[in-house]
Amino acid sequence: MVSTRGRYALRVMIDIANNQGDGYVPMKDVAARQGLSLKYLEQILPLLTKNNLVEGIQGKGGGYKLTRVAKDYTVGEILRATEKDMAPVSCLASGADKCLRRGECKTIGFWEGYNKVMNEYIDGVTLSDLL
């Protein structure tokens, strides 16, 4: 399940893409337009900045802007920047311990297939598509 953080990150990225023009978009403006808590956005923006999805400056005229054009972002990379893991089950999570039941698991093929389809889908949708 995608958390609130992931859903809000997509909304923030869309809002910035729609409103940046030639400058930076103040987070208070994004928060107001999206009906989101500025405090919560202050937890999301460092994740987006750390993953080089946005860049920000402080002070008068400050805010955030995209580091690339919208068509060059995938929903998958935005979600992965804000979610701990996108795996549908814990045994497929990155860095997970090897499952002791994997050899006899009747459902692992299903979960691997689901994971593949989901990742192909979210990696095939761009920020530009959402605009």
Side-chain angles (χ1 to χ4, degrees), residues 91 97-105:
C91 62
D97 291 335
K98 184 174 179 183
C99 178
L100 300 175
R101 298 181 49 83
R102 187 175 183 96
E104 60 197 53
C105 181

Side-chain angles (χ1 to χ4, degrees), residues 23-26 57-63:
Y24 290 84
V25 180
I57 59 171
Q58 295 181 348
K60 186 174 173 84

Side-chain angles (χ1 to χ4, degrees), residues 17-131:
N18 273 329
N19 294 288
Q20 75 179 17
D22 292 327
Y24 290 84
V25 180
M27 272 306 94
K28 65 179 177 48
D29 294 352
V30 174
R33 279 190 295 269
Q34 295 298 318
L36 303 174
S37 157
L38 187 57
K39 198 86 156 155
Y40 199 59
L41 291 185
E42 289 170 351
Q43 296 173 26
I44 295 171
L45 267 298
L47 298 171
L48 298 176
T49 303
K50 176 182 160 192
N51 286 281
N52 201 32
L53 301 177
V54 298
E55 63 181 41
I57 59 171
Q58 295 181 348
K60 186 174 173 84
Y64 291 86
K65 70 177 185 176
L66 302 181
T67 58
R68 309 186 299 263
V69 295
K71 71 177 182 60
D72 292 340
Y73 291 88
T74 68
V75 168
E77 75 176 311
I78 296 166
L79 291 177
R80 286 185 200 95
T82 56
E83 300 293 319
K84 290 184 193 273
D85 204 302
M86 294 299 297
V89 290
S90 61
C91 62
L92 294 179
S94 58
D97 291 335
K98 184 174 179 183
C99 178
L100 300 175
R101 298 181 49 83
R102 187 175 183 96
E104 60 197 53
C105 181
K106 302 292 186 197
T107 61
I108 191 64
F110 167 79
W111 293 120
E112 288 172 335
Y114 174 77
N115 193 44
K116 180 178 185 262
V117 168
M118 183 211 37
N119 280 293
E120 287 173 353
Y121 180 72
I122 64 176
D123 290 332
V125 177
T126 67
L127 186 58
S128 168
D129 294 332
L130 299 179
L131 295 171

